Amino acid sequence: MKCRSDNDHFVEPILKYFLSIFNVFIFILAIGSIVGGSWLLYQKTDVDQTKTNLQNVFDMTADLGAYLITIGILGIIFSVIGLAATIRENIFFLRIYLFVLILILVLNLVIGVVFLIYSGKITSAVINKMQTSFVLNYYDDNELKSLFDLLQGQYSCCGIQGYKDWDSNPYHSCSSSTSSLACQVPVSCCKEYITNKDRINIFCSQDVLRDDSKLTRINTKGCRQEIINLAQFGVKVLSGSLVGVSIILGATIIMVQYLLILIRKEKALFNAKNQYSVLDEDDETVDYLIFIVSI
């Protein structure tokens, strides 16, 4: 298999190979996005049947699922157009493909900059939401409860600011006269939770919100710092991902623009040999300018 075309052609086959592989990869990611979005919508359907008090949270989950499905559909259309345009060497659709790539690159950079600037505020908003709503509605949803239990057990912490946050939960509040969990904290706050999770006494934190002498049974520090650390790690991962995506998009833009130049040269050669009208030189100049700017 030759990696270069012969003297009668300018288009590099290996360039088309790389672009084709890129579009196939985008197609696979788009399918994955649709599957992931469909799963989120399926999860939302299950939650709707139980009607929890955290409906706004799962509405957001459903929105995310819809976004993923939409992105997946657009990704399939985008990759199919890119693949067909590359294989068929269609200048019109390659230019559309190039425009979309540039648009995605710009949006990627804007999202990255905005997220980095406001990452601190986003983290604070998440922490405040967890303290004011999630702690309050801890028992209203099993998924949320499991998430909190994992966080508190894994990092040996309790609540957001501290263990006293659980006094705002109607089941754990000392002012409750009907709850058997009054003046307690969730079992995941107990020190034995990780080592003896299956056999731990669910009343291991009895009266800890009322009697400080019993605090030795539980983890008293809040999970705020752990949440911040996780958020900072997420920012680093997202930043690295955005940089990687930007590099890939930039390289793809250069390859597409170079392919356009080669296609125009090849068509110009064909027209000259067959005494057809030559392609517009102004368009070719624009292609070269875009290629130089891309580099």
Side-chain angles (χ1 to χ4, degrees):
M1 181 181 294
K2 296 189 297 182
C3 290
R4 289 185 60 87
S5 51
D6 55 41
N7 294 330
D8 293 332
H9 301 281
F10 290 97
V11 176
E12 302 280 356
I14 194 168
L15 187 61
K16 295 173 66 174
Y17 296 157
F18 278 122
L19 290 175
S20 297
I21 291 172
F22 173 77
N23 284 293
V24 170
F25 179 69
I26 294 298
F27 183 86
I28 294 173
L29 288 181
I31 294 296
S33 179
I34 292 176
V35 172
S38 301
W39 181 81
L40 287 176
L41 289 180
Y42 175 77
Q43 292 294 105
K44 174 62 168 58
T45 302
D46 287 346
V47 170
D48 279 342
Q49 294 175 357
T50 59
K51 296 295 182 182
T52 70
N53 292 333
L54 289 178
Q55 188 174 358
N56 59 327
V57 176
F58 291 99
D59 285 342
M60 184 171 59
T61 302
D63 291 341
L64 178 59
Y67 291 148
L68 287 175
I69 292 175
T70 303
I71 291 173
I73 294 174
L74 293 176
I76 290 176
I77 297 173
F78 171 74
S79 60
V80 169
I81 290 176
L83 185 61
T86 300
I87 295 175
R88 299 295 299 173
E89 299 179 9
N90 186 291
I91 292 178
F92 176 75
F93 284 107
L94 276 174
R95 283 181 171 174
I96 294 177
Y97 183 65
L98 179 64
F99 173 77
V100 175
L101 281 173
I102 294 174
L103 181 62
I104 294 174
L105 177 60
V106 172
L107 290 175
N108 185 70
L109 294 175
V110 170
I111 291 173
V113 171
V114 171
F115 189 83
L116 288 176
I117 293 175
Y118 294 99
S119 59
K121 292 183 178 180
I122 293 174
T123 302
S124 298
V126 170
I127 291 175
N128 292 334
K129 181 69 175 178
M130 292 180 73
Q131 186 170 0
T132 57
S133 180
F134 292 0
V135 170
L136 184 65
N137 298 283
Y138 172 74
Y139 289 103
D140 293 333
D141 180 75
N142 290 330
E143 291 184 1
L144 179 66
K145 181 178 180 298
S146 297
L147 177 63
F148 250 90
D149 288 340
L150 177 63
L151 178 67
Q152 293 183 143
Q154 185 68 32
Y155 294 100
S156 300
C157 55
C158 189
I160 306 300
Q161 304 295 342
Y163 73 99
K164 286 189 176 294
D165 289 346
W166 291 106
D167 194 37
S168 62
N169 183 283
Y171 295 96
H172 292 292
S173 175
C174 290
S175 61
S176 175
S177 58
T178 58
S179 175
S180 60
L181 300 175
C183 284
Q184 299 185 48
V185 293
V187 68
S188 55
C189 287
C190 295
K191 292 182 177 180
E192 300 179 2
Y193 180 74
I194 291 296
T195 58
N196 195 23
K197 181 178 179 181
D198 295 330
R199 300 180 180 179
I200 192 171
N201 182 1
I202 62 173
F203 298 106
C204 59
S205 62
Q206 191 170 13
D207 291 333
V208 294
L209 292 177
R210 180 165 44 202
D211 188 354
D212 291 346
S213 64
K214 298 181 179 180
L215 291 177
T216 54
R217 306 174 185 172
I218 66 169
N219 300 305
T220 57
K221 71 171 184 176
C223 300
R224 179 184 176 87
Q225 188 57 48
E226 280 67 27
I227 296 173
I228 292 175
N229 292 340
L230 289 173
Q232 290 175 344
F233 175 75
V235 169
K236 292 179 181 179
V237 171
L238 179 62
S239 301
S241 300
L242 290 175
V243 170
V245 170
S246 298
I247 292 174
I248 294 173
L249 287 174
T252 306
I253 288 171
I254 293 174
M255 286 191 289
V256 172
Q257 186 58 40
Y258 186 47
L259 178 61
L260 277 169
I261 293 174
L262 296 180
I263 292 173
R264 291 187 61 81
K265 279 188 174 183
E266 187 171 305
K267 288 191 174 183
L269 177 62
F270 177 82
N271 290 338
K273 285 185 175 183
N274 293 275
Q275 298 180 349
Y276 296 143
S277 60
V278 182
L279 293 174
D280 190 354
E281 293 182 357
D282 291 337
D283 285 346
E284 187 173 3
T285 302
V286 171
D287 285 338
Y288 275 110
L289 287 175
I290 295 176
F291 178 68
I292 293 172
V293 171
S294 300
I295 295 177

